[in-house]
Structures are given as C-alpha cells and as structure tokens.
Amino acid sequence: MKAVGKVSTIIYKNEKNGYTVFVLDSEDGYITAVGETCNIEEGDTVEVEGDITYHKNYGEQLAFKYISKVMPEDTDTLIEYIAKSDIKGVGIKTAEKIVTFFGDDVFDVIKNRPYDLVKVKGINEEKALAISEYINEEWERWNLTSFLARYGVSITISNKIYDTLGINAINIIKENPYALLDFINNISFKVVDELGKKLNIDNSNESRLKAGILFCLNEIMQAGHTCIEKNILIEYACKFLEVGLESIENVLVNLVMSDKVVIDIRENAKYVYRKSLSVAETNIARYIASRNKDKVSKKSYDNKIDIVSKLENIVLSKTQRQAINTCLNSNISVITGGPGTGKTTIIKCIIDILENEKKSYVLCAPTGRAAKRITETTGKQAKTLHRLLEITKINDNDIDSIIDFMPEVLPHNVVIVDEASMIDTILMNNLVKALKDSTNLILVGDSYQLPSVGPGSVLKDIIESKVVNVVELNEIYRQSQESDIVINAHRVKSGDNIEFSNKNTDMYFIETNSIEETKKEVLSLLDGRLENFANYNIVEDLQVITPIKKTELGTYSLNREIQKILNKEDSFKPEKKVGERIFRQGDKVMQIKNNYDIQYDVDGVTYKGVYNGDIGIVNSIDNIQKELVVKFDDGKKIKYDFDMLDELEHAYAITVHKSQGSEFKVVIIPLYVCYEKLFNRNLIYTAMTRAKNMLIFVGSKRVLNYMISNTHENVRRTGLKHKLIEET
C-alpha cells in the first residue's frame, strides 16, 4: 500500500535506531504508520509504502518499508518547512518573505542560487548560506535514504553512510558502491554486491574483486583459519565472484602491494593472510620467543609447596608438584590436562605461593562464565581478558583494527589465564601487547577440547611448537575418581567407548528409536521429571547441549519447544517478537557477538562490554520504550534497544561450541542424527566435560560410539606454530 500525506502527530520516536510511530493525514484519512525513518518532523509531507498490519494493542497500522519526503507544494507547508530550520533569525515571517519574493522559483534559488536570498530584506549572506545548507542537507539525506531503501539498506546504515560521505553520497555510491566497505562498519559485502549488480557494475570491476577477495578471506577466518593456501583461495574466489583465474591473481597482487594481504611461504606452499592476522601471529611468536631467551633464576619451591598443601589440606602428586615448580621457574609456561587432573588445585597453590612472596598476579579467563567458574573454584577474583585489557573499541567487523589497538601495560608480576584453549589469535595478540618484559605468563587449559570460536588454535600451536615449558596432567585426581563423567571423559579421549553404570552414577543414557522420541524424552526431563528426581533449578542449573543448530534436535527447534515448557506464554509477561523468535520476560538468553561499547552500572561504577557466550535472563521488556533488559550471570544488567536483538538468542539449548569455558550442574546431550565430519571425538569430549554433577545422553548409542571413533578434525590453517619455531 502507498500513501501520501502530512505528518500530523509523532507518537513515538527512538532516536537511536530511527523507529518511529506517527499519524499520517492522507487523502484516505488518518493512518498510523510505523517503521524506521530519520529526521521527520510534524508538518512534513511524506510518501510511505508498506503493508497493513494489525497490532493487538494499537490496532491497524501501516508498517512501511520505504519512506521519502515530498517537495512541499502548497505555500503554507513551504513556509512552515523553512521556518523550522532552527536558523537564528529565520522564523515564520522571514520564511513568508522568501516564498513571496521568489514564488515558484523559491526551491531552485535556495538549493542552487543561495546568494540571491540576500535580496530579501533581513537576509544576509550568513543566513542565506545557512538556509541553503539546511535544505540541501535534509533533502540529500532523504534522497539517499530513499535510494538505498530500494536495495534493502536500513535507515540506520543509510544515516551512517550520509554522515560519512555527505551530500555527494549517491554519486559516490553510483560510481563505486564497493567504497562503502572502506567507510562503513556493519555493512556486508553481499548487500553492497547486490547494490553493485543493480547499478550494473561489471563482475570484473577491480573494486568489486578487491572487496570480494577480502570477503572470502573473512569467510575463511570465520571458519577458524588465520590463513589459506593461495591456490585454494583463488579457486574459491573465482567461483564466488564468477570471474576467471587471471582476474583474481592480478587483483591479489594489487592487494599485496597495497598492504591489505600478506603472502607467507612455508613448507613449499604459499599462504595468504589478511595482514592483521599475519601481524598478530608474528607479534605472539616474537613475544614468546623473546621471553624464552630471557634467563630465569631457578630455585626449588618444594618447601613452599609443602606449606600450602598442608594449609589447603591436599595431597599433591609428583606431576602436580612438578607443574608448580615449572610455572614459577618459567617466563612462559603451559599446564594442560583433562577434567579431574588437578589444574585448578595447581592454580590455587601457585596463587598461595605468590601471595606469600608478595608478588602481584591477576587471574583471568576468556569469557565471563569461565572467569566466574575459576573465581568460585579458587576463591580468588578473576577477570575476563576483555575486562583486563579494557578492550572497548575493537570492531569485530573491522579485523584490521587489531593492529592499532594498544592496551595499557599490565602492572602484574604474573598473569594466569584459565581455559586457554578458548583464546583466539586476536585476543592472544592483545594480551601479549599488554605484558611487561618481566611478566610471567601461565596458560592453563585442555588442549583436547574444541579450538577457539575465533581464528587460530593458539594453545595447541604453542604446545606443539615445543618452544615453551609444558606440563601435561594425565593422572585423575583422587576426588574425581568417583565421577563416571570424569572417568568416561578420559576413556573418550583415549578412543574407548563409554561404560554406563546402573547405580551410584552421575551419568545416564536414555535409549530412543527416533528423532521424535529423542526430542520427546528431552522435553519430558525438563517438564518436571528431572526436577522430581533431584533438587535442581531447571533454568539455572540445567543446560541442553547439542552439536547442531538446525533439524529437530538443533538449538533453533529445541529452544522453541523448551520455552513452551519453562517459560509459557502469559498475559502478564511482556514479550517481543523478532522474526520467528519470541523473547519473553524470564527467558534464558545468550549474547552471540561481542559488543564492546554497551554500558552498564555496577554499584554506581560504569563499565562497558558484553561478550559472545555470556548467558543471562530477560529481566524486563518495555514495548513503549522499545527496550529489553537482560540480567547476566555475573550480575550486570544490560539494556538492549529492539534493533539490537539480533545480538541475542535463546539459551535453553546451546551448541557445543557455545558451551566452551562453561560448567553446568546438569547437562543433557541429545544424539540421534549423525553428520559424518562434524560429529567427532573432540566434539563429544568437549560436551561431556561441561557437566559437573550429572550428565544425561538421550538418543542412539550407535551415534555416540561413532563420534568416539571418529578422529577426523577440520584442522585449522594457521602459521603460529611455524613462526614460533622460526623465531626461537
């Protein structure tokens, strides 16, 4: 439906995202219009196009997809439009004089011949230029918004483009739409490429190919690699961009010359990097190599280990004592091992010794949940690496910004990082930049778990390079020997099938014969069955972990079904629909992308940042103010405008990758369908080790045993191991 009319009343306007509700006085009567727009005021004449919808509280509405200002046609509207410019000395009377003096030529004069305005009494050059600038800017902004809306570009992005490129934005875009990727964050190559096609930009256009190759490298980075073989990249880019081999090779040379990409030669092959990731790997390798070359005054800590072990009332194994001595006598060291091998006990002992020696230290982890867990197990305050490094200005969509980011140098003698398998190349680069030349770094983690979500395999590469002191813990610590979860996790690690006990166990298997039955059993456990069996808070203590997002046993489907059980629709609970998802007060949700700039207060102190993997509960939803508040596990409360809800997803069921670094009292793992390459030993091992008190498999033992036997890994292409060896 199209409608033209005057904006009679603005009911609501969100200044952050442009969402506006207004009444349109049209030929068909008054219409309530809703949608994203910018800079409209009461009295503006606009044309809107969209669909008629019906809101249960507000009735019939025109939800517009496109909106554009219409040139004022009647004298009164024109006068009103000029008068509301907020230019000092230009009110209704002055506007009337201008319109009367120039008549039908008034817009041409204002836009193209502003100096003619001085002919009107009371208008000097300064006012004339201000009036012209106001009209031109408003009109060009609207023209750009209307132009880009036809290609699916949002109002928010349109405003960013205008603020960056100014009144020549349309001409710049028509000439080279791919230039937008250099100026505007959060605009995707696919959106720009679609715009380019509609503007008849040739497939072999150099700007398109440069942007396309960088996009391909970003896609490769999203898969966890820091680099890719040159021949594979060229083949991939040719297919994706639908051009010939020679075109890609020529443009790749230009990208190298312009310092956008780096080609590294090793093991008789050429690897292509985004420059930033190459720099990051080199920084990490050089720092580690440099610290390894520094001499350490070695001494025995056996007496102090005896003191703290007696104080903590623990008996340390020979390997654990060796690990403590190694870490305290090394500039850089690694402790690795599976569940129950005493990694946390070692951390506690190291901390006690450092405190006894009055050495400053900091305990940290890659995620909020991991930091919270190590705080609970050690009794010592831990920070996330993002908080420690005060990372607030890096844009995840602008990978090159990692080169420029420079964290404050940390004052500590020792930095201890738990769950180090989760550290990606970008985060590790920022960490080493923050370390003093005299700081000792201790990395603690299980290298057998899945690699980091971000690019790289930092812990694994460091261990395999053999350039730093590594202590591997294999012996299961005494208190963990009674846990079937721990015992069987180690069996899985060794490639042996799980042994299920019938009594006195913390691990169960519920056999099913179909996908539908598997799903039904999972939902039954959540719908009172498990709560009756043991005293657990189902929302807070229990986590469904699944290998996949799609299918009936994926996160999308399970979250919808679990929500119906644990947080039913209720007229007293506000909710917000976003696409096919419904966020409801009381929902368990997860942050799925880093947001470094969002602010929140804790005890009157303002902090910034919420990070990928943080889990919380929807505390409130305000449909008038268009905002939703989430209270996260660490206590922080974050306000989300409705246009930010793509940063959240339900977390009743999460993927194995998203569960990394977390620990839950009860874990349910549904397994029935099998994906040959995805379902491997590392995946099931990581999922199992998330459970603390109880682990329940639901599904097919055939699938479980296949995963244990499948050692196939999507090996990440990185250069850190090679650079570490080369620098040492």
Side-chain angles (χ1 to χ4, degrees):
M1 175 185 174
K2 283 186 180 180
V4 179
K6 185 179 287 189
V7 178
S8 173
T9 306
I10 295 178
I11 299 171
Y12 172 80
K13 181 190 288 186
N14 186 316
E15 298 296 343
K16 292 182 181 178
N17 60 27
Y19 182 84
T20 307
V21 181
F22 63 89
V23 176
L24 185 70
D25 184 1
S26 72
E27 291 180 356
D28 299 323
Y30 290 101
I31 300 171
T32 301
V34 297
E36 283 189 9
T37 182
C38 63
N39 297 343
I40 67 160
E41 303 291 344
E42 292 178 359
D44 284 347
T45 301
V46 297
E47 179 182 22
V48 292
E49 182 180 346
D51 300 319
I52 293 294
T53 61
Y54 189 84
H55 192 282
K56 62 182 180 182
N57 295 327
Y58 307 115
E60 191 176 273
Q61 298 176 332
L62 173 57
F64 59 84
K65 296 177 181 175
Y66 308 114
I67 181 169
S68 59
K69 277 189 181 178
V70 177
M71 187 84 73
E73 294 178 354
D74 61 278
T75 302
D76 290 341
T77 302
L78 185 55
I79 290 169
E80 188 179 337
Y81 189 77
I82 296 172
K84 70 180 182 184
S85 64
D86 292 332
I87 298 169
K88 190 175 181 180
V90 179
I92 291 289
K93 288 184 178 180
T94 304
E96 286 175 345
K97 288 179 185 178
I98 293 171
V99 172
T100 301
F101 190 95
F102 292 104
D104 293 341
D105 293 334
V106 65
F107 255 102
D108 179 58
V109 171
I110 292 172
K111 287 173 66 64
N112 303 314
R113 295 181 281 130
Y115 289 105
D116 284 359
L117 291 172
V118 298
K119 296 175 182 177
V120 178
K121 189 176 180 181
I123 301 290
N124 56 24
E125 277 192 17
E126 185 180 351
K127 286 181 183 178
L129 290 173
I131 292 168
S132 180
E133 186 177 329
Y134 167 75
I135 297 293
N136 277 313
E137 182 172 330
E138 286 292 295
W139 223 257
E140 290 302 327
R141 184 185 292 272
W142 271 93
N143 284 339
L144 177 67
T145 299
S146 180
F147 170 73
L148 291 176
R150 301 290 169 176
Y151 302 110
V153 180
S154 72
I155 296 289
T156 305
I157 297 294
S158 294
N159 277 331
K160 287 181 180 178
I161 292 171
Y162 185 83
D163 291 338
T164 304
L165 301 180
I167 61 174
N168 292 318
I170 291 178
N171 290 332
I172 293 171
I173 291 168
K174 284 181 177 179
E175 184 178 336
N176 179 17
Y178 299 95
L180 293 175
L181 295 163
D182 294 327
F183 299 113
I184 311 299
N185 292 327
N186 301 321
I187 187 167
S188 76
F189 173 82
K190 290 182 178 179
V191 168
V192 173
D193 200 37
E194 190 62 32
L195 181 57
K197 288 176 182 176
K198 290 175 181 177
L199 293 172
N200 297 317
I201 302 294
D202 191 79
N203 263 13
S204 59
N205 176 278
E206 186 174 336
S207 294
R208 176 180 183 266
L209 297 185
K210 281 183 178 179
I213 291 171
L214 293 176
F215 174 78
C216 290
L217 283 171
N218 281 349
E219 291 284 285
I220 288 161
M221 183 190 75
Q222 294 298 323
H225 310 291
T226 60
C227 56
I228 190 71
E229 291 94 327
K230 182 183 174 184
N231 61 317
I232 294 177
L233 172 64
I234 290 174
E235 183 181 344
Y236 177 41
C238 285
K239 187 175 180 181
F240 176 72
L241 296 169
E242 299 177 332
V243 295
L245 187 92
E246 189 177 346
S247 297
I248 297 297
E249 287 184 326
N250 290 338
V251 172
L252 191 56
V253 170
N254 290 339
L255 285 169
V256 172
M257 296 294 289
S258 60
D259 223 19
K260 293 286 187 181
V261 304
V262 171
I263 296 180
D264 186 21
I265 302 174
R266 63 177 184 270
E267 298 167 350
N268 299 319
K270 293 181 179 179
Y271 289 84
V272 184
Y273 286 84
R274 285 293 299 259
K275 182 184 176 182
S276 49
L277 285 173
S278 175
V279 169
E281 281 190 349
T282 301
N283 285 346
I284 297 165
R286 285 179 179 169
Y287 177 83
I288 291 174
S290 173
R291 291 295 287 132
N292 268 347
K293 291 172 184 174
D294 293 338
K295 291 184 179 180
V296 180
S297 300
K298 294 191 176 183
K299 64 178 183 179
S300 172
Y301 284 88
D302 287 338
N303 289 337
K304 292 189 176 181
I305 292 172
D306 289 338
I307 293 170
V308 297
S309 59
K310 186 176 181 180
L311 189 68
E312 296 285 351
N313 194 28
I314 53 175
V315 178
L316 296 170
S317 69
K318 183 180 178 181
T319 308
Q320 287 174 317
R321 296 174 71 91
Q322 177 195 343
I324 296 168
N325 263 302
T326 297
C327 290
L328 293 172
N329 280 306
S330 303
N331 291 329
I332 297 179
S333 55
V334 173
I335 301 171
T336 185
T341 55
K343 296 190 297 295
T344 303
T345 300
I346 291 169
I347 293 174
K348 288 171 71 175
C349 290
I350 289 172
I351 288 171
D352 285 344
I353 292 171
L354 292 173
E355 288 179 347
N356 181 260
E357 293 194 334
K358 295 186 171 24
K359 288 185 177 179
S360 65
Y361 69 90
V362 65
L363 185 58
C364 54
T367 66
R369 290 187 69 84
K372 182 183 178 184
R373 186 161 68 88
I374 195 65
T375 294
E376 291 170 348
T377 53
T378 63
K380 305 296 181 181
Q381 186 62 44
K383 294 183 177 181
T384 66
L385 280 166
H386 289 91
R387 176 70 59 78
L388 177 68
L389 302 175
E390 297 184 355
I391 299 174
T392 59
K393 295 179 181 177
I394 291 180
N395 182 349
D396 282 352
N397 294 310
D398 179 14
I399 189 68
D400 293 323
S401 65
I402 65 171
I403 294 176
D404 301 322
F405 180 75
M406 186 56 66
E408 294 289 327
V409 175
L410 299 172
H412 313 286
N413 300 122
V414 180
V415 174
I416 304 169
V417 186
D418 194 30
E419 295 289 353
S421 64
M422 298 178 67
I423 301 178
D424 63 28
T425 304
I426 298 169
L427 195 53
M428 188 67 181
N429 175 51
N430 288 322
L431 174 60
V432 299
K433 285 195 286 186
L435 299 177
K436 296 186 297 183
D437 289 340
S438 58
T439 299
N440 289 7
L441 176 64
I442 302 172
L443 300 174
V444 184
D446 185 349
S447 62
Y448 199 74
Q449 288 188 34
L450 292 172
S452 57
V453 175
S457 52
V458 173
L459 183 64
K460 187 177 180 182
D461 284 354
I462 290 173
I463 292 171
E464 290 185 355
S465 71
K466 298 181 180 179
V467 301
V468 302
N469 289 321
V470 177
V471 178
E472 184 170 359
L473 307 171
N474 293 309
E475 182 182 347
I476 300 175
Y477 199 54
R478 186 181 62 189
Q479 291 176 335
S480 298
Q481 290 176 357
E482 297 176 1
S483 168
D484 284 337
I485 298 172
V486 172
I487 297 295
N488 280 290
H490 284 270
R491 287 182 61 82
V492 167
K493 185 176 177 180
S494 300
D496 298 321
N497 286 345
I498 293 174
E499 293 180 351
F500 290 95
S501 174
N502 292 323
K503 56 183 181 179
N504 299 325
T505 183
D506 54 4
M507 191 175 68
Y508 304 87
F509 194 97
I510 300 174
E511 187 97 35
T512 59
N513 295 308
S514 67
I515 293 173
E516 292 74 19
E517 188 184 347
T518 305
K519 188 173 182 179
K520 184 179 178 181
E521 286 287 346
V522 170
L523 297 177
S524 173
L525 288 167
L526 295 166
D527 198 10
R529 191 166 142 206
L530 188 58
E531 211 164 18
N532 294 332
F533 175 75
N535 186 27
Y536 289 117
N537 181 316
I538 296 299
V539 174
E540 294 181 8
D541 297 338
L542 184 144
Q543 187 62 59
V544 177
I545 298 178
T546 175
I548 46 180
K549 290 186 176 182
K550 298 180 181 179
T551 80
E552 288 299 297
L553 296 180
T555 55
Y556 298 144
S557 176
L558 287 172
N559 273 315
R560 283 195 299 270
E561 297 301 322
I562 296 171
Q563 184 190 41
K564 293 175 186 176
I565 294 171
L566 300 183
N567 195 23
K568 297 181 178 70
E569 184 178 3
D570 188 325
S571 58
F572 293 102
K573 287 183 179 179
E575 58 184 45
K576 168 62 180 172
K577 187 171 183 180
V578 181
E580 295 183 359
R581 297 175 299 162
I582 296 175
F583 289 107
R584 187 174 294 135
Q585 184 177 315
D587 272 341
K588 186 177 184 179
V589 294
M590 174 184 281
Q591 177 79 14
I592 58 171
K593 60 175 75 170
N594 291 332
N595 186 325
Y596 302 100
D597 296 322
I598 198 165
Q599 293 187 345
Y600 60 94
D601 291 336
V602 176
D603 298 328
V605 180
T606 299
Y607 296 97
K608 280 186 175 183
V610 60
Y611 304 107
N612 190 352
D614 286 354
I615 292 178
I617 303 294
V618 176
N619 193 66
S620 64
I621 298 175
D622 189 332
N623 282 298
I624 302 299
Q625 295 299 319
K626 308 293 179 188
E627 66 182 26
L628 177 151
V629 177
V630 177
K631 183 178 181 180
F632 286 94
D633 285 346
D634 57 3
K636 61 176 177 274
K637 286 185 178 180
I638 303 288
K639 285 184 180 180
Y640 293 83
D641 292 328
F642 280 176
D643 70 317
M644 297 168 59
L645 295 183
D646 62 336
E647 296 187 14
L648 294 174
E649 64 182 27
H650 291 96
Y652 299 110
I654 61 176
T655 62
V656 181
H657 286 84
K658 290 292 188 183
S659 73
Q660 286 176 265
S662 301
E663 187 176 72
F664 308 95
K665 289 183 179 179
V666 182
V667 169
I668 298 175
I669 304 175
L671 292 173
Y672 196 84
V673 235
C674 185
Y675 294 86
E676 187 176 336
K677 290 185 178 180
L678 175 64
F679 281 44
N680 60 21
R681 189 183 297 173
N682 287 81
L683 194 73
I684 196 63
Y685 174 80
T686 302
M688 289 177 66
T689 53
R690 302 307 92 210
K692 182 179 180 182
N693 297 342
M694 185 185 295
L695 173 62
I696 304 171
F697 291 100
V698 182
S700 163
K701 280 189 180 176
R702 177 184 55 81
V703 173
L704 176 59
N705 292 338
Y706 170 79
M707 293 181 75
I708 295 169
S709 67
N710 181 19
T711 56
H712 171 82
E713 282 186 72
N714 289 320
V715 178
R716 293 191 168 187
R717 293 172 174 88
T718 69
L720 181 58
K721 175 183 172 181
H722 173 80
K723 290 178 181 179
L724 282 165
I725 295 170
E726 199 174 55
E727 291 284 343
T728 301

